[in-house]
Amino acid sequence: ETLALCAYSQSFLFRLRSGCKLFVAAASGLVEIDPASPFAIRLARLCQDLPGATEIQQTSLSEAPSTLRECWREWLPEYLLLIPLHDQAGLLLGHAIYARETPWLAAELRALEQVHCSYAYCLAALERVRGPWQQLGRQLVQSRQWRWAALSVLVLLLAPVPLSAL
């Protein structure tokens, strides 16, 4: 729905994996992104190579480092807007990147900054750290010992038990 706020030709959501590596989580116009596709690999590399920002940052192809220009020219329009998404503690959750052919106006930047505060809040709520019992339960279900214990219980339940009493 951000398109109703300001016009752009492409948008991407980058999320953090393992605390430091960015990957393309969503892209406008695509239902699903194959992480092994050249598009996703080059965009993730491009986002990693962009200068880290703590605030909303606008950049253009002419300002980009020479190492990024070829990839940029191939996949993206002239202007990029990088919006970091932080939780309430200030930890980086990811980046929203918007691309279009014209520079961004100051009013658009303010509006996008406001709406992305809400986006970051919602993303942080969805990624909320689970409690210790939920983490323990998830580890048990995913462990090999848990599977063997569940299989053993199933085998024991199949054993016949006489129902007679003296």
Side-chain angles (χ1 to χ4, degrees):
E1 297 297 322
T2 310
L3 188 57
L5 191 61
C6 67
Y8 58 86
S9 56
Q10 294 176 325
S11 68
F12 308 98
L13 174 64
F14 288 86
R15 305 268 306 270
L16 285 175
R17 178 182 293 145
S18 304
C20 63
K21 186 172 180 172
L22 290 167
F23 70 100
V24 183
S28 59
L30 296 176
V31 175
E32 189 175 337
I33 298 171
D34 180 14
S37 70
F39 176 71
I41 291 169
R42 288 190 180 175
L43 278 178
R45 192 171 301 141
L46 177 80
C47 190
Q48 289 281 7
D49 292 343
L50 283 173
T54 56
E55 295 179 353
I56 192 167
Q57 175 181 335
Q58 181 177 192
T59 188
S60 67
L61 179 60
S62 60
E63 298 170 350
S66 59
T67 57
L68 298 178
R69 288 186 186 161
E70 181 183 336
C71 175
W72 190 324
R73 240 184 242 115
E74 184 178 350
W75 297 100
L76 298 169
E78 177 74 20
Y79 294 93
L80 284 184
L81 184 65
L82 174 70
I83 305 173
L85 302 170
H86 297 278
D87 65 2
Q88 290 79 14
L91 297 173
L92 183 68
L93 302 172
H95 296 284
I97 295 183
Y98 296 94
R100 71 179 188 185
E101 295 296 332
T102 59
W104 302 87
L105 304 174
E108 291 173 326
L109 294 178
R110 284 191 302 275
L112 285 170
E113 190 172 16
Q114 291 287 322
V115 77
H116 281 81
C117 285
S118 298
Y119 290 169
Y121 179 81
C122 293
L123 187 60
L126 290 173
E127 289 188 346
R128 188 179 70 226
V129 176
R130 292 181 170 84
W133 292 109
Q134 289 174 329
Q135 287 179 345
L136 178 63
R138 176 178 277 174
Q139 288 172 354
L140 283 176
V141 169
Q142 292 175 348
S143 71
R144 178 172 270 165
Q145 291 85 7
W146 172 258
R147 291 182 189 141
W148 281 109
L151 182 64
S152 301
V153 169
L154 283 174
V155 169
L156 286 174
L157 288 174
L158 294 174
V161 178
L163 295 175
S164 60
L166 295 176

